[in-house]
Amino acid sequence: MLDMKQFLLGNDAFRGSYVAEARSYLERLASEKQSPSALYIGCSDSRVIPELLTSSSPGELFVVRNVANIVPAFEHADASVGAALEYAVAVLNVEHIVVCGHSGCGGIKAIVDGHAALRALPNLHQWLDDAAQPLQAELDRDLPGSSLVDRLVERNVLAQLCNLNTYPVVAERLQAGVIQLHGWVYDLPTGRVRVFDVNEDTFVHFDGQST
Ligand SMILES: [Zn+2]
């Protein structure tokens, strides 16, 4: 098992490699107001690292992560998610919001398996209870083929894109055409992202063209 020493040695290694090379870039970032172009909303899962999977540098992504990449609707807003969302959109003026789900999401699996077993963890239970509501129709469908968890991971991303629309700061900017919403699903074993295509009404592999 790794202990904290391992992580602190990792910070030494980080400073000796990345920081040594990017020193002037990091100093400039520190001297200016942050100006990320995208708000990334993803799962807390330790295997899905937003900056790693997008090859992003410090300063490029404003990140919110929670269990199962949830954005509670405005009328049921979670203060932490709502605060970060409003700050990113109204103060930092991000041009894009990405909601990124991922294969094998433990939060979604718990919803499928019946999260009643999590009653002893009241916050997690309530969080998944709320998250499960927009997924109920999909849960009730008995479709052959693709796994229920995979379908729910996708449905869950789309539900959060709908919920983003309930925030006045987002709705106003969508109306004005100054912000875009994106739904992604990250595949754990391959590291590849699929993107929701509105025209195709499905998640597709990025072809190097679409945004
Ligand atoms: Zn997850």
Side-chain angles (χ1 to χ4, degrees):
M1 187 165 78
L2 292 176
D3 59 20
M4 288 314 295
K5 190 176 162 195
Q6 186 81 26
F7 292 114
L8 292 170
L9 288 171
N11 181 248
D12 282 345
F14 166 70
R15 289 189 298 114
S17 54
Y18 181 84
V19 175
E21 281 187 22
R23 190 61 183 255
S24 59
Y25 172 68
L26 294 174
E27 286 177 351
R28 184 170 61 76
L29 277 186
S31 69
E32 297 171 351
K33 181 175 171 281
Q34 65 168 320
S35 182
S37 59
L39 164 62
Y40 170 102
I41 300 169
C43 185
S44 298
D45 192 300
S46 61
R47 301 164 294 181
V48 189
I49 312 299
E51 291 81 2
L52 197 60
L53 73 92
T54 56
S55 300
S56 296
S57 298
E60 294 184 326
L61 290 179
F62 193 83
V63 173
V64 174
R65 293 174 70 184
N66 58 44
V67 173
N69 42 271
I70 304 295
V71 183
F74 182 71
E75 59 268 28
H76 308 292
D78 167 82
S80 174
V81 175
L85 175 58
E86 289 175 353
Y87 185 70
V89 172
V91 179
L92 299 178
N93 295 310
V94 295
E95 295 163 6
H96 302 274
I97 303 177
V98 177
V99 176
C100 185
H102 67 97
S103 64
C105 181
I108 301 297
K109 278 182 178 169
I111 289 172
V112 171
D113 293 343
H115 52 291
L118 298 174
R119 280 194 199 285
L121 309 173
N123 283 292
L124 181 57
H125 182 265
Q126 184 64 52
W127 184 254
L128 293 178
D129 218 31
D130 294 344
Q133 287 178 23
L135 305 180
Q136 200 56 51
E138 195 70 35
L139 273 164
D140 294 341
R141 287 169 79 198
D142 188 18
L143 285 181
S146 64
S147 97
L148 180 57
V149 171
D150 290 344
R151 282 189 281 120
L152 285 181
V153 163
E154 294 182 355
R155 275 291 132 209
N156 183 53
V157 167
L158 299 182
Q160 309 322 313
L161 293 181
C162 288
N163 285 349
L164 282 169
N165 269 296
T166 65
Y167 287 77
V169 289
V170 175
E172 287 162 11
R173 283 160 180 79
L174 281 171
Q175 193 103 36
V178 295
I179 201 166
Q180 293 178 9
L181 308 186
H182 310 268
W184 292 3
V185 172
Y186 174 78
D187 186 52
L188 285 179
T190 64
R192 194 169 186 189
V193 161
R194 286 180 298 120
V195 179
F196 184 68
D197 184 315
V198 179
N199 298 321
E200 301 285 333
D201 194 29
T202 189
F203 285 81
V204 298
H205 286 125
F206 176 57
D207 61 6
Q209 303 291 323
S210 53
T211 52

